[in-house]
Amino acid sequence: MATRRARTEIIHRSCPLCEAKCGISVEVDRSTGTVATIRGDADDPFSRGYLCPKAYGLKGLQEDPDRLRRPVRRVGSDWEEIGWEEAFELAASRLREVRAAHGADAIGTYVGNPNVHDLGSTLYLGPLLRGLGTRRQFSASSVDQLPKMLSAFLMFGGPLAIPIPDLDRTDFLLVLGANPVASNGSLMTAPDIPGRLAALRARGGKLVVIDPRRSETARLADEHLFIKPGSDAYFLFALVHTLFEERLVRLDRLESHVRGVEAVQTLAKEFSPEVVARATGIDALRVRRLARRFAAADRAVCYGRIGTCTQEFGTLASWLVDVVNTLTGNLDRPGGAMFPRTATGPAADAPKPRKLPYGRWRSRVRGLPEAFGELPAATLAEEIDAAGDESIRAMVTVAGNPVLSTPNGNRLARALESLEFMVSVDIYVNETTRFADVILPPVSPLERSNYDLVFNGLSIRNISKYSPRVLEPPEDSRDPWEILAELAGRVNGASADAVDELVLSHLLSSAVGSPGSSCPDVSVEEARKQLGDRRGPERILDLMLRAGPYGDHFDPERSGLSLEVLRKAEHGLDLGALEPRLPGMLATESGAVELAPALLSGDVSRLRARLSERTADDRLVLVGRRHLRSNNSWMHNIHSLAKGRDRCTLLVHPTDAKRLGLADGARARIRSRIGAIEAPIAVSEEMMPGVVSLPHGFGHDVEGTRMRVARQHAGVNSNRLTDEAQVDALSGNSVLNGIPVEIAPA
Ligand SMILES: Nc1nc2c(c(=O)[nH]1)N[C@H]1C(S)=C(S)[C@@H](COP(=O)(O)OP(=O)(O)OC[C@H]3O[C@@H](n4cnc5c(=O)[nH]c(N)nc54)[C@H](O)[C@@H]3O)O[C@H]1N2
Ligand SMILES: Nc1nc2c(c(=O)[nH]1)N[C@H]1C(S)=C(S)[C@@H](COP(=O)(O)OP(=O)(O)OC[C@H]3O[C@@H](n4cnc5c(=O)[nH]c(N)nc54)[C@H](O)[C@@H]3O)O[C@H]1N2
Ligand code: SF4
Ligand SMILES: [Mo]
């Protein structure tokens, strides 16, 4: 016992896998350098011991023999390990060559979801992308929340000025297109969704779910309404229409801070619940009753997520969610939709309105507008396939698997194969990285420290937690930031340290020493001195914390946050419930909430024009779903998570199954405009008739990957059916739900 106690150590941190950010306690055996157990941290003030099965998968990920630990270079159809110096030089020199011969835009970049869960990647991706100088940047944002970023910018002045449901204090939660019981929440950082929803019901609150599937969340709801995929904007307009017609609109405290109320009223006139009922599949009376109950609740919040974004009217639906909250007096008030005040943000509200970064350039082939510096992922394959000088010739991917996660994955695979050069920063040889010439793998999540720069800002409470590294990284390995900074430097003949210095000095000059900065009375030299001469993200984090709203502002007299303080709070700090932040934080030109921005109002004509078609459309359509034990495409190589029954099944309602001759357990052939795949059928009452569901992130049986467990649970790639021609016209976001399909027995 004594020897065991001497050798093990428990480290508290947060789980980096999804947005919930649960506190975990990892028991490490120092004698072997291995993880003994992973448990929920009961002393984490936010997650209070909650965990999902994926957290334990961190041990599987750590020990996965297929996870890359050294750079590899492709030699024909095989791979060989090479040293870091050789790998960096190969990557940088080939990228420089392509740029010199064809210009910076001949390089394309795709950055994926795990980046936002890692501090170093969040901070150093920017320098790499700027260093490459290409305007052909792509990311998982445009298969995810880009519509919400666009509507948030237009309404509140920033892409991440996203109101978050005040889940713990609301009395009425209206959920559209989200299944937080399986996903653990998104754009709503809240560990233990099941517990928090149970608490909502226990205090007499109501949960209403609008979803074409009776999801795990819908099963807990007081009311669940099936909705035809892609029709949320009509449904939300019908709610807005009813609020006006029945005189239920009240802005309360925000009365003088909201512009465009009458314009919204005018826009909503033609979308009465009766007019849109056939298009949404929801009875008009139920919409009216819902509007009344929502308006009557003391504290109510409407929350829309991926189902409302990845559709034809993603930006309109994202916008209307916040319109409903605003018109019922629920914006920026406890129990409604609120804005977090994150510890790494500016100390005081001094918003500087800026022009929407949108449409400054366009994709070459389809002419879709750039948004926030990116082009839509739905255009990546065609930009590679473009003729002659217009084509992307080399790709850089960082923690992304677009072959499985973006529409028409098959076409993208063919396009990637045709590239002159590709480098991937990734931990697996998977469906995407198999096309790379060289792969640069960072250390595992447990071998690096972390801080949730992004998700603390999207959280239902103000929280701050530092995650120390749990295991010593192997010799001669690299942290993600080191890889990104090294590459960023080398493509321009600079060092990683020079890149690090650039990141620091840029942030320093905006955080201290100038009027309007967070610490106007502290000189850059003084702040630098106190930050010391560490390298990398932790020094930057220290700066952000200290200059932030809860920080010590480099003043020894002032108690406040710093990295040192946070390190000592090993279970994390609860900085309190969300507090009203309007109008102070608004960064719109007018300084008000813009309820009817021109870009959005203008898109309503598209919605209007499609109404009759949508009303008449009774084609069978496909939507996606998530499972608690899975995480997009990349955790299927972990045996403890992947084992068990097949989860990549096609859910079909019994009446559809009967009509189409589909038997439970048999296989179906599913065809869309883009392609055809086969999947096992699960006949289920939980589907809306006319809608079938298949999860994304599968299809691991392709040539050339090195993921042995995933191959055994291969499933099929639902993005071989999704259509890259279908985007939300405004944001360019992919349409991944509501895909017309034909189904027959296989
Ligand atoms: N049909 C359909 N498609 C969808 C969705 C859907 O609902 N339906 N959802 C969309 C959404 S919301 C998203 S966010 C995207 C996700 O799209 P992506 O981000 O492109 O895909 P992921 O599956 O998250 O792949 C992550 C990649 O990062 C690698 N990786 C994991 N950890 C690390 C790490 O620590 N460092 C590095 N360098 N690499 C790492 C993995 O090996 C994998 O290659 O998928 C989208 N695609
Ligand atoms: N276990 C697990 N957790 C995850 C992930 C994962 O892959 N697995 N991925 C993470 C990521 S990257 C993200 S972005 C989040 C996403 O988190 P969520 O937004 O909660 O995503 P889903 O669980 O896919 O739930 C989407 C729901 O929308 C419904 N839906 C589809 N189309 C429509 C529509 O047109 N209208 C309406 N109203 N509903 C529709 C679907 O039936 C589904 O129930 O989850 C994160 N957490
Ligand atoms: S819900 Fe699961 S995957 Fe998400 S942070 Fe918590 S333990 Fe990790
Ligand atoms: Mo996502």
Side-chain angles (χ1 to χ4, degrees):
M1 196 63 199
T3 49
R4 183 170 162 75
R5 201 175 294 132
R7 282 155 142 198
T8 65
E9 188 183 350
I10 293 180
I11 313 270
H12 307 287
R13 57 168 294 161
S14 43
C15 170
L17 295 173
C18 89
E19 299 181 36
K21 302 301 169 202
C22 305
I24 55 175
S25 302
V26 187
E27 189 181 7
V28 195
D29 186 336
R30 290 289 176 218
S31 63
T32 55
T34 56
V35 172
T37 60
I38 298 177
R39 295 201 176 85
D41 180 1
D43 295 321
D44 181 298
F46 196 33
S47 66
R48 302 173 296 212
Y50 175 81
L51 266 196
C52 90
K54 288 190 293 302
Y56 199 72
L58 285 167
K59 178 174 158 67
L61 178 64
Q62 179 64 33
E63 293 163 7
D64 185 351
D66 291 340
R67 182 170 60 83
L68 298 175
R69 287 153 172 88
R70 305 245 153 220
V72 289
R73 176 173 63 185
R74 188 151 51 85
V75 193
S77 60
D78 214 352
W79 296 88
E80 70 174 16
E81 281 193 0
I82 55 174
W84 282 101
E85 173 57 32
E86 194 188 341
F88 281 128
E89 203 35 51
L90 173 64
S93 64
R94 294 293 305 275
L95 292 172
R96 285 195 308 258
E97 276 165 35
V98 169
R99 191 170 60 183
H102 306 284
D105 290 345
I107 301 173
T109 58
Y110 176 92
V111 306
N113 172 277
N115 289 297
V116 278
H117 296 270
D118 175 66
L119 173 68
S121 307
T122 311
L123 291 173
Y124 295 83
L125 258 180
L128 173 60
L129 298 177
R130 280 191 296 277
L132 289 167
T134 173
R135 293 186 305 178
R136 281 156 130 182
Q137 299 178 15
F138 303 82
S139 87
S141 286
S142 57
V143 283
D144 189 348
Q145 80 294 343
L146 189 60
K148 193 75 196 178
M149 292 165 63
L150 191 53
S151 74
F153 192 103
L154 292 166
M155 294 180 80
F156 311 113
L160 291 179
I162 296 173
I164 307 299
D166 187 5
L167 189 57
D168 290 347
R169 292 185 289 183
T170 196
D171 300 320
F172 197 115
L173 176 63
L174 173 60
V175 176
L176 293 88
N179 183 14
V181 171
S183 70
N184 279 295
S186 179
L187 301 182
M188 175 174 74
T189 285
D192 190 12
I193 292 282
R196 291 186 138 95
L197 291 181
L200 162 75
R201 309 255 335 259
R203 63 177 180 266
K206 297 287 177 229
L207 170 66
V208 177
V209 174
I210 314 291
D211 197 300
R213 174 178 164 240
R214 196 165 65 87
S215 65
E216 290 79 354
T217 306
R219 277 174 230 160
L220 302 181
D222 298 275
E223 187 178 2
H224 165 231
L225 300 176
F226 282 137
I227 185 169
K228 281 197 190 173
S231 68
D232 297 75
Y234 296 111
F235 167 78
L236 289 160
F237 253 138
L239 281 183
V240 170
H241 177 101
T242 310
L243 293 174
F244 280 111
E245 195 179 59
E246 303 194 6
R247 299 182 183 282
L248 300 169
V249 171
R250 38 179 271 229
L251 300 181
D252 291 353
R253 186 177 65 86
L254 295 182
E255 191 77 56
S256 56
H257 302 296
V258 179
R259 279 173 30 129
V261 178
E262 275 171 32
V264 167
Q265 179 170 15
T266 308
L267 291 170
K269 273 226 169 74
E270 58 190 313
F271 299 107
S272 72
E274 291 73 19
V275 165
V276 304
R278 290 275 315 279
T280 61
I282 302 181
D283 182 66
L285 271 176
R286 296 188 80 168
V287 175
R288 287 184 181 274
R289 215 165 53 213
L290 183 59
R292 286 175 210 137
R293 284 165 61 211
F294 191 89
D298 278 344
R299 303 175 295 183
V301 63
C302 178
Y303 164 66
R305 205 35 292 269
I306 193 105
T308 58
C309 284
T310 49
Q311 55 156 288
E312 189 179 357
F313 301 108
T315 311
L316 290 184
S318 298
W319 160 57
L320 289 166
V321 163
D322 291 328
V323 169
V324 168
N325 286 326
T326 307
L327 293 178
T328 50
N330 286 301
L331 181 68
D332 199 42
R333 80 157 173 202
M338 303 191 77
F339 299 94
R341 190 187 286 281
T342 182
T344 49
D349 289 329
K352 298 181 190 74
R354 59 183 179 120
K355 208 171 160 311
L356 175 69
Y358 178 82
R360 293 167 298 174
W361 59 90
R362 291 187 170 259
S363 71
R364 301 273 169 94
V365 177
R366 226 184 300 175
L368 290 183
E370 152 271 346
F372 306 107
E374 292 183 22
L375 293 172
T379 66
L380 175 54
E382 70 199 27
E383 295 287 295
I384 297 174
D385 291 344
D389 261 6
E390 295 286 292
S391 69
I392 292 176
R393 291 161 186 266
M395 279 296 297
V396 179
T397 73
V398 183
N401 191 5
V403 168
L404 294 194
S405 57
T406 68
N408 202 349
N410 250 20
R411 176 177 180 185
L412 182 61
R414 285 194 303 270
L416 294 177
E417 197 169 13
S418 75
L419 289 168
E420 287 172 24
F421 181 72
M422 171 162 155
V423 51
S424 293
V425 181
D426 209 288
I427 54 175
Y428 286 114
V429 181
N430 65 15
E431 298 74 16
T432 295
T433 60
R434 68 191 154 128
F435 298 113
D437 294 280
V438 56
I439 306 177
L440 309 168
V443 294
S444 84
L446 295 179
E447 292 163 348
R448 62 197 196 225
S449 65
N450 199 18
Y451 183 87
D452 291 300
L453 218 45
V454 176
F455 298 106
N456 285 343
L458 301 167
S459 170
I460 65 158
R461 288 185 71 83
N462 290 314
I463 46 157
S464 186
K465 181 168 181 171
Y466 170 77
S467 291
R469 140 198 307 174
V470 171
L471 297 169
E472 282 307 307
E475 220 170 282
D476 199 26
S477 58
R478 298 289 187 280
D479 208 82
W481 84 267
E482 292 175 293
I483 297 176
L484 299 175
E486 185 71 45
L487 258 188
R490 285 201 192 211
V491 291
N492 289 323
S495 68
D497 283 342
V499 172
D500 188 27
E501 169 57 29
L502 214 65
V503 174
L504 178 74
S505 52
H506 174 75
L507 276 167
L508 262 176
S509 66
S510 62
V512 304
S514 57
S517 70
S518 291
C519 312
D521 303 328
V522 180
S523 70
V524 168
E525 294 69 36
E526 174 58 24
R528 233 178 220 287
K529 206 174 97 205
Q530 291 198 32
L531 290 169
D533 54 9
R534 292 165 283 177
R535 300 165 71 232
E538 295 206 345
R539 178 170 58 162
I540 313 256
L541 173 63
D542 196 20
L543 163 62
M544 295 172 102
L545 288 168
R546 298 181 73 175
Y550 313 88
D552 70 5
H553 292 196
F554 300 97
D555 179 351
E557 309 283 288
R558 182 180 155 134
S559 72
L561 277 189
S562 64
L563 183 53
E564 199 188 332
V565 169
L566 209 52
R567 269 181 202 279
K568 289 183 185 142
E570 55 179 0
H571 304 287
L573 287 180
D574 184 357
L575 302 167
L578 304 187
E579 284 171 8
R581 294 200 56 196
L582 298 188
M585 63 150 286
L586 291 170
T588 53
E589 207 76 61
S590 63
V593 173
E594 291 291 351
L595 213 56
L599 201 59
L600 299 175
S601 310
D603 200 36
V604 176
S605 56
R606 193 167 61 95
L607 189 71
R608 187 183 305 129
R610 285 278 281 135
L611 182 59
S612 58
E613 265 167 61
R614 284 221 163 238
T615 302
D617 195 347
D618 52 9
R619 284 177 298 176
L620 196 61
V621 292
L622 173 76
V623 299
R625 69 176 187 273
R626 286 174 158 76
H627 191 281
L628 192 59
R629 288 180 171 268
S630 174
N631 193 19
N632 294 328
S633 76
W634 70 273
M635 294 193 74
H636 297 148
N637 210 53
I638 298 165
H639 177 71
S640 66
L641 297 175
K643 68 179 183 200
R645 65 188 164 85
D646 191 356
R647 298 194 188 100
C648 189
T649 55
L650 184 76
L651 299 180
V652 187
H653 188 271
T655 56
D656 291 321
K658 192 158 174 229
R659 179 170 53 89
L660 300 165
L662 306 174
D664 190 69
R667 292 179 72 79
R669 188 167 173 76
I670 318 156
R671 177 186 297 282
S672 74
R673 188 186 81 88
I674 290 307
I677 56 177
E678 284 184 14
I681 301 157
V683 175
S684 168
E685 298 264 357
E686 69 191 41
M687 293 313 301
M688 178 177 189
V691 184
V692 294
S693 160
L694 187 69
H696 77 287
F698 288 90
H700 301 299
D701 53 354
V702 296
E703 285 295 305
T705 62
R706 291 197 159 184
M707 299 179 75
R708 285 167 286 188
V709 178
R711 184 172 288 277
Q712 286 163 23
H713 308 273
V716 285
N717 179 4
S718 68
N719 283 317
R720 284 174 61 181
L721 299 173
T722 52
D723 187 342
E724 82 274 32
Q726 297 263 306
V727 294
D728 164 31
L730 214 49
S731 63
N733 203 79
S734 297
V735 175
L736 303 173
N737 285 300
I739 309 301
V741 287
E742 285 165 16
I743 304 181

